[in-house]
Amino acid sequence: KYTVKDWAILWLNEYTGNLKPLTVKQYTSYINNHIIASIGNVKLIRLDTPIVQKFYNRLVKEGLTPKTIKNIHGILHSMLETAVEVGYIRVNPSGACRLPKVEKKQVKPLENTDISNLLGALKGDKYESLYTVDLFTGLRQSELLGLTWDCIDFKRGTMHVYRQLQH
């Protein structure tokens, strides 16, 4: 009796309680903006691999990046895997789909002269310390902003990153 939309809403409400709030927020956004918007009216028992594959192909044509499509697939796959576990469908129709290839971007670190120039340009800036820590650690913004003094062990010269600042 469930449509993909019905199951998606139920799954979000009942099966994502162990996830972090920001993760649930991202899942909700992907589900509402892509999954429900495209295949939400399909009956769950009628959802098959060709329908899901057409959905992914449409996302490619709409210009979504392969990484975003992979994220959407991960959510849909997990959602449908739970439907299999509870007996609403026999097999997960997303399992046999072909996703666009995610190409990793080549990381090009700064040269020593670039680092010196950047540090020189930061001199006196109110965020100089923040940028300097980021430059030499590569932390994500949320990790960097979540640092507190107890994260730093000056005797050992180590830093522990175990929280993030999120809103």
Side-chain angles (χ1 to χ4, degrees), residues 35-68:
I35 296 171
I36 290 175
S38 293
I39 58 173
N41 292 330
V42 177
K43 292 282 187 189
L44 193 58
I45 60 170
R46 299 276 183 243
L47 188 66
D48 60 15
T49 300
I51 291 172
V52 177
Q53 185 66 57
K54 285 178 188 173
F55 165 57
Y56 294 149
N57 294 345
R58 194 172 330 121
L59 295 177
V60 170
K61 290 176 186 169
E62 291 173 4
L64 270 66
T65 65
K67 175 72 171 106
T68 299

Side-chain angles (χ1 to χ4, degrees), residues 5-87:
K5 176 183 178 179
D6 298 333
W7 176 245
I9 292 168
L10 178 70
W11 181 81
L12 268 174
N13 290 330
E14 303 300 330
Y15 293 95
T16 59
N18 61 331
L19 301 175
K20 294 180 180 178
L22 188 61
T23 302
V24 174
K25 184 178 178 182
Q26 290 172 331
Y27 280 19
T28 302
S29 176
Y30 281 134
I31 286 171
N32 289 333
N33 294 326
H34 300 290
I35 296 171
I36 290 175
S38 293
I39 58 173
N41 292 330
V42 177
K43 292 282 187 189
L44 193 58
I45 60 170
R46 299 276 183 243
L47 188 66
D48 60 15
T49 300
I51 291 172
V52 177
Q53 185 66 57
K54 285 178 188 173
F55 165 57
Y56 294 149
N57 294 345
R58 194 172 330 121
L59 295 177
V60 170
K61 290 176 186 169
E62 291 173 4
L64 270 66
T65 65
K67 175 72 171 106
T68 299
I69 296 169
K70 184 178 178 186
N71 291 344
I72 292 168
H73 167 75
I75 296 164
L76 182 62
H77 185 79
S78 180
M79 192 176 88
L80 295 174
E81 204 57 38
T82 304
V84 170
E85 291 169 9
V86 297

